[in-house]
Structures are given as structure tokens and as C-alpha cells.
Amino acid sequence: MSATASAPGKIILFGEHAVVYGRPAIAVPVLQVASRVTVEEAESGVHVVSSRGSRTLLPGDLNGDDPIAAVLRHTLSAIQYPGFPNITITIDSTIPVAGGLGSGAAVSTAVARAMALHLGRTLDAATVSALVYEVEKIHHGTPSGIDNTVIAFGRPVYFMRGRPIEMLIVPRPFTLVVADTGIASLTKIAVGDVRRSWEAGRERFEALFDRCGDVARRARALIEGGRPEMLGPLMNENHAALREMGVSCAELDTLVGAAITGGALGAKLSGGGRGGNMIALVKSGTEAAMAEALLRAGAKRTIVTEVGGSFQV
Ligand code: PMV
């Protein structure tokens, strides 16, 4: 007998980095990419199989820093499973790693769900989100919690640290082109650099975070008011603030510039920055031309996604 579960990728539309400092942010699932995990009975121990190879976890590994071991530990505790299961966990993910698309949180989410299912239990989204947050601390250091929330719930969210989750209502879907610089970037490093800069110049950084928070609030009103085509200037403003924080890079700026030149309504980096992905808001029907323009400008791959759907678990 085996159990399978999936989780989507995600992008941050507005408010990355500032969200770590209590400002609101907006994140949405990217349904075109996903992590898919199958859990089945094994003879003994926990075997993890993925495109990166395979390994075996022993009961003694449960308290270590291995992210899958951490998911295992928190899931077993959430379902109050008394022993150590004998299972094979097979991970298959189409979400690029270290690109700001939430690959770590999606793998953790799918592993937790598939494992619980295999052991005869189901976990609600809030429980999955809370346990994935614990695992995210290993990858990220001081995660805001936005990645685990949007991925576990599989729906657009308006997120503020420490506040109850608010789902974002999207009455009129809109189209984004996501473009990858191809530069792998660890969120933990960008977040750490922002912290050091904030410590060195609190007033300036608090003002930048306020700007991003304000943008996220205005963006929410436009999205929920059914006027997503007006989000462009807010994306440009958010990108400018992120540049001032020092988390953009030449390649991201080039792609953002190419998107604007190519007719995007707005564009910005998305996620931790310093590489990874950028997003461009486009008029429906122009997405293929925009994807081509971004590839010509150096993007390594593009994903066209429509914001407004939700992920079916
Ligand atoms: O995982 P990424 O690269 O999309 O970045 C997460 C967003 C940050 O605000 C930079 C960090 C966080 O924990 O919210």
C-alpha cells in the first residue's frame, strides 16, 4: 500500500524581506510546478529516494538537521505516532531548487502529508503549515512563515507574521511570467545581509520596510477590488525598494528592465533575491511574447502562471 501527496511552488508577489520585520506580504501558489511524494511500506528503516540520490535514516538521525528527518520528527509528533515507521519516501519535484519558488517548503509539505496518509491519518493545512515552519527554520534561519503558509494552504495569502492567516480573494485572475536568472541563491544569506544592514541603519531600513508594507496593502486592495491590471507601478516600486535593500543583482535588474521594455505592466524580483526568479505582470495574450523576450534577455527558463487558482491536494 502506498500514499501520495503533492504541494505547489509559490512566488511572493509583494513584501518579501519586509515581511520578516512584521510588514504584510502577498504570496500565491504556482500551480505549474509541484513536489510529489510517495510513501510506501519498507522492510526496515526510513529510505529517502530523490533525484539527488538515496539515503537511509535511522532512529538516531531523527533529531539531526536533515530536513527530511525533521519533517519525519514533526509529523510523527503531530499524529502522535508511537514508534519509528518502516517506509520508503520517494520525492519527485519539478520546482527549481534555491530559486525562491518554495521548493524546500513544498517538499516538506508533500512529505508530511504523504507520510501521515500512509500511517492512516490526515493533517489539516494549519498543522502542516506549522510543522513545515519548524523545518524551514533549518533552511532559512529566521523565516517569516509566508512560504509554509502559502504552500500548505495552496491559495493566495495576505500574510503578516504572528497574525491569523488571511486568504486573498482574487475576483479577476491575472497572468504573470516568472523568469529564472539561473543563479542559485540561498535565502538565508540574503536575509542575514538585510539583518546586518538593518542593524547598521535602522531608520533607513525601517522606512524601506514601511514602503514595502504600504505597497502590499495597496496591492491587496487592487487585487480584491478586481483591478489587477493596475498592480504594475506597485511592482516597480517594490523592486526599487528591494534594490535599495541590496537584494537585487545585475541579472535580476536586466530581466526586470527587459520586461518593462517588452511591454510588461510591471516587474520585480521575487523572493530572497540575489538571483532566483523575477516576475512580470502581463496583459493576457502577451505572455508568450514576454517569455521569449525574457529568454532573449538571459533568463534560463520561464513559467507562465495565472494568479487566482488554488491547488487541489
Ligand atoms: O524563499 P524565498 O526565497 O521566496 O524568500 C522568502 C521571503 C523572505 O521574505 C526573503 C524571507 C521570509 O522568510 O519571509
Side-chain angles (χ1 to χ4, degrees), residues 54-296:
S54 55
R55 60 192 196 279
T56 299
L57 299 172
L58 302 170
D61 296 323
L62 266 197
N63 293 321
D65 260 5
D66 180 293
I68 301 298
V71 179
L72 190 64
R73 175 169 80 242
H74 289 292
T75 306
L76 294 179
S77 150
I79 63 172
Q80 297 178 322
Y81 187 81
F84 189 75
N86 297 320
I87 51 177
T88 297
I89 302 172
T90 306
I91 302 168
D92 189 14
S93 184
T94 55
I95 309 176
V97 174
L101 292 177
S103 113
V107 167
S108 297
T109 297
V111 169
R113 282 201 180 119
M115 207 159 67
L117 213 56
H118 178 74
L119 299 172
R121 301 282 298 272
T122 48
L123 294 172
D124 63 23
T127 305
V128 172
S129 177
L131 79 84
V132 172
Y133 179 67
E134 292 305 314
V135 180
E136 285 289 284
K137 287 183 188 168
I138 302 170
H139 298 290
H140 278 210
T142 54
S144 63
I146 192 167
D147 279 23
N148 48 284
T149 303
V150 64
I151 289 171
F153 283 85
R155 296 175 54 188
V157 296
Y158 181 80
F159 180 88
M160 250 174 118
R161 215 173 169 162
R163 294 263 188 96
I165 301 147
E166 292 180 62
M167 298 303 154
L168 193 74
I169 315 297
V170 187
R172 276 193 47 223
F174 52 98
T175 307
L176 296 174
V177 180
V178 183
D180 193 345
T181 58
I183 302 168
S185 166
L186 291 177
T187 301
K188 197 172 181 166
I189 293 175
V191 168
D193 287 349
V194 169
R195 181 155 302 266
R196 272 182 290 280
S197 305
W198 171 71
E199 277 161 1
R202 289 201 185 211
E203 216 169 298
R204 189 170 149 252
F205 269 70
E206 286 293 331
L208 284 171
F209 297 151
D210 280 343
R211 248 170 84 190
C212 297
D214 188 47
V215 160
R217 270 183 221 100
R218 284 155 53 203
R220 179 193 197 171
L222 288 176
I223 294 170
E224 296 201 321
R227 288 181 295 159
E229 70 285 356
M230 293 176 75
L231 289 170
L234 295 179
M235 293 173 76
N236 300 341
E237 191 177 336
N238 200 161
H239 185 71
L242 288 162
R243 281 192 68 184
E244 284 182 47
M245 277 179 218
V247 294
S248 192
C249 63
E251 292 80 357
L252 280 167
D253 289 343
T254 299
L255 292 181
V256 167
I260 301 296
T261 311
L265 301 171
K268 64 181 278 292
L269 72 85
S270 175
R274 299 273 173 78
N277 283 274
M278 55 76 68
I279 53 177
L281 175 68
V282 294
K283 282 197 191 120
S284 180
T286 66
E287 55 273 15
M290 177 57 60
E292 262 172 47
L294 290 168
L295 289 169
R296 272 199 307 275

